[in-house]
Amino acid sequence: MTFGEQPAYLRVAGDLRKKIVDGSLPPRTRLPSQARIREEYGVSDTVALEARKVLMAEGLVEGRSGSGTYVRERPVPRRIARSGYRPTGGATPFRQEQSDARARGTWESSSEQADASRSVAERLGIQPGDRVMCTKYVFREAGEAMMLSTSWEPLALTGRTPVMLPEEGPLGGMGVVERMRAIDVVVDNVTEEVGARPGLAEELVVLGGVPGHVVLVVQRTYYASGRPVETADVVIPADRYRVAYHLPVK
Amino acid sequence: MTFGEQPAYLRVAGDLRKKIVDGSLPPRTRLPSQARIREEYGVSDTVALEARKVLMAEGLVEGRSGSGTYVRERPVPRRIARSGYRPTGGATPFRQEQSDARARGTWESSSEQADASRSVAERLGIQPGDRVMCTKYVFREAGEAMMLSTSWEPLALTGRTPVMLPEEGPLGGMGVVERMRAIDVVVDNVTEEVGARPGLAEELVVLGGVPGHVVLVVQRTYYASGRPVETADVVIPADRYRVAYHLPVK
DNA sequence: TCGAATTTGTGCGTATGTATC
DNA sequence: GGATACATACGCACAAATTCG
């Protein structure tokens, strides 16, 4: 039966995938049922099932019990600009960055003091157990949650200053750079490490996804003269957003 | 048999998962074989298989045909530096960037001319159907595939020049910026858009994953005076790598 | 409203190929 | 070569959800 070729279920999955990406099976249409796949490709029940599972794992289709397997909508991901850099010239192909989402929506937040965990301590260059201010955000755009963020700031730095609580006082909600400048801390560097993983159930409840959806995780750390002053985990649903960096070369 | 409880394969997978995370099955040890799982849990071969598949899909274990199923090391994701920026000062917390993976390994590539698809044409600012040079790369580090890349360059720009083929000639493998400079095209900007999705079966075959594993996708475009000169899709397994950006503030 | 047909999801047993030891 | 163990494949059964007459 098999001799050196691809496994049958990958061959079937590949053919169906092609039909999906080239548009002959557009979103919201139903895939052939398991029985029909079995007939059309001359394979067994298990192979048809396994092929569907591959496509489901790839997020291209979703199965609805008793109804069928349907091609999922794939919204064009919107862009979230993460870099402050702007080209100097006038006419550039980057104009759309201005109009793109730059957290222009609404947000909620709540802060509480906590002990630094081992990983947070490492990122902030402090000792585990040192006190930090931990703030959780939910960013919404047009009412829809688009981003979760958890930030940590060492209380050794901001404690007993007017900017200790990120969202209170005259500089509430102004951003890390502005707040730190108010206490004479000049933020001059930022690192962002972008990773991805399946979303946790709790995250996806808020972000409006289904279990198994992929999220982007941005670990951001602000530095002032080489010293970390804030670090944050930003969680973004990957099916709706991308993070964009725009950098000079050289 | 079943009545409202968990499926048997999830129960078995859950028990094995617990043993893995609590350390009683440390990394590099072998799981009980399918036959032993069948005996120990009193389930069928299929259930044992399905349970192993769950753990493989979660990236906790990997199957080695003919040998066994082994608990995977869970490496702290390594960093792939994507920004050319380096701080000026001497002692900074960023020294490790130098030693991090910057595609220092080996790579294979193959180029062929093609017609620009609609999306590639849009990214390069050309017309669909215009001729482009398409180059596919597999980057390896210590023999292990860490990165796939597909790049497109407009042949209107590089055709009939010494750098038409990225990996041939005196500047082969030198990078886009250097090659373009050789034909008096000064690359001055780059955009990178980072997204994530479940990996495709073919990608994961190369990258050493399992259908369902998450990959990071970086859409990179180089510009010279506002004109796109190269664009690429970079695919990276998210369980092993993160992409790091280091930016000045202001 | 009821019930039959369809479809997915889960589970079982078995057989064969193939890589590793 | 033989034993072991995973990978693929086939066929079957049944539960649960959905659809539709």
Side-chain angles (χ1 to χ4, degrees), chain B residues 77-140:
Chain B
R78 270 167 293 179
R79 204 173 297 173
I80 299 180
R82 303 292 308 177
S83 129
Y85 175 77
R86 289 288 179 280
T88 54
T92 76
F94 309 111
R95 255 164 303 163
Q96 70 271 24
E97 279 188 15
Q98 322 298 349
S99 59
D100 263 340
R102 203 174 164 76
R104 200 203 330 288
T106 62
W107 69 89
E108 309 149 21
S109 71
S110 67
S111 295
E112 62 177 7
Q113 298 189 21
D115 295 331
S117 69
R118 212 172 55 76
S119 65
V120 166
E122 190 173 337
R123 285 159 62 176
L124 287 175
I126 60 179
Q127 295 301 312
D130 286 0
R131 300 295 284 174
V132 292
M133 180 62 71
C134 173
T135 307
K136 292 176 190 291
Y137 294 87
V138 181
F139 291 94
R140 298 180 195 280

Side-chain angles (χ1 to χ4, degrees), chain B residues 2 6-9 44-47 65-67:
Chain B
T2 72
Q6 265 191 134
Y9 72 97
S44 78
D45 200 54
T46 317
V47 170
S65 193
S67 171

Side-chain angles (χ1 to χ4, degrees), chain B:
Chain B
M1 195 69 67
T2 72
F3 43 99
E5 350 154 311
Q6 265 191 134
Y9 72 97
L10 286 182
R11 183 178 58 83
V12 175
D15 189 75
L16 290 170
R17 187 189 300 112
K18 192 162 54 181
K19 291 186 179 172
I20 292 171
V21 299
D22 77 12
S24 62
L25 282 172
R28 311 200 60 79
T29 58
R30 232 191 59 190
L31 282 194
S33 75
Q34 211 158 295
R36 282 203 58 77
I37 292 177
R38 208 177 48 201
E39 297 166 14
E40 288 184 20
Y41 293 90
V43 294
S44 78
D45 200 54
T46 317
V47 170
L49 171 67
E50 214 64 26
R52 283 194 305 110
K53 277 190 182 171
V54 167
L55 298 177
M56 287 191 278
E58 293 174 353
L60 290 172
V61 303
E62 74 184 313
R64 282 178 231 160
S65 193
S67 171
T69 305
Y70 295 83
V71 179
R72 277 178 53 168
E73 313 259 11
R74 262 168 310 161
V76 178
R78 270 167 293 179
R79 204 173 297 173
I80 299 180
R82 303 292 308 177
S83 129
Y85 175 77
R86 289 288 179 280
T88 54
T92 76
F94 309 111
R95 255 164 303 163
Q96 70 271 24
E97 279 188 15
Q98 322 298 349
S99 59
D100 263 340
R102 203 174 164 76
R104 200 203 330 288
T106 62
W107 69 89
E108 309 149 21
S109 71
S110 67
S111 295
E112 62 177 7
Q113 298 189 21
D115 295 331
S117 69
R118 212 172 55 76
S119 65
V120 166
E122 190 173 337
R123 285 159 62 176
L124 287 175
I126 60 179
Q127 295 301 312
D130 286 0
R131 300 295 284 174
V132 292
M133 180 62 71
C134 173
T135 307
K136 292 176 190 291
Y137 294 87
V138 181
F139 291 94
R140 298 180 195 280
E141 196 179 39
E144 179 190 55
M146 60 166 287
M147 198 160 91
L148 304 179
S149 172
T150 307
S151 81
W152 298 269
E153 294 175 356
L155 276 169
L157 190 67
T158 61
R160 288 187 299 277
T161 75
V163 299
M164 182 175 75
L165 285 162
E167 296 296 324
E168 304 291 329
L171 287 162
M174 283 295 284
V176 175
V177 178
E178 288 76 9
R179 287 175 44 245
M180 290 293 167
R181 192 163 46 207
I183 56 172
D184 291 324
V185 173
V186 180
V187 175
D188 51 11
N189 274 285
V190 61
T191 61
E192 303 215 346
E193 296 191 12
V194 187
R197 54 170 172 77
L200 302 180
E202 323 150 39
E203 294 167 344
L204 293 171
V205 165
V206 180
L207 293 172
V210 158
H213 271 194
V214 178
V215 296
L216 288 160
V217 183
V218 181
Q219 279 191 16
R220 179 196 62 202
T221 306
Y222 281 110
Y223 294 86
S225 307
R227 177 187 178 194
V229 296
E230 191 245 24
T231 192
D233 281 347
V234 183
V235 178
I236 300 164
D239 58 342
R240 279 175 284 161
Y241 294 97
R242 288 199 288 252
V243 294
Y245 296 89
H246 183 191
L247 312 159
V249 170
K250 271 281 129 55

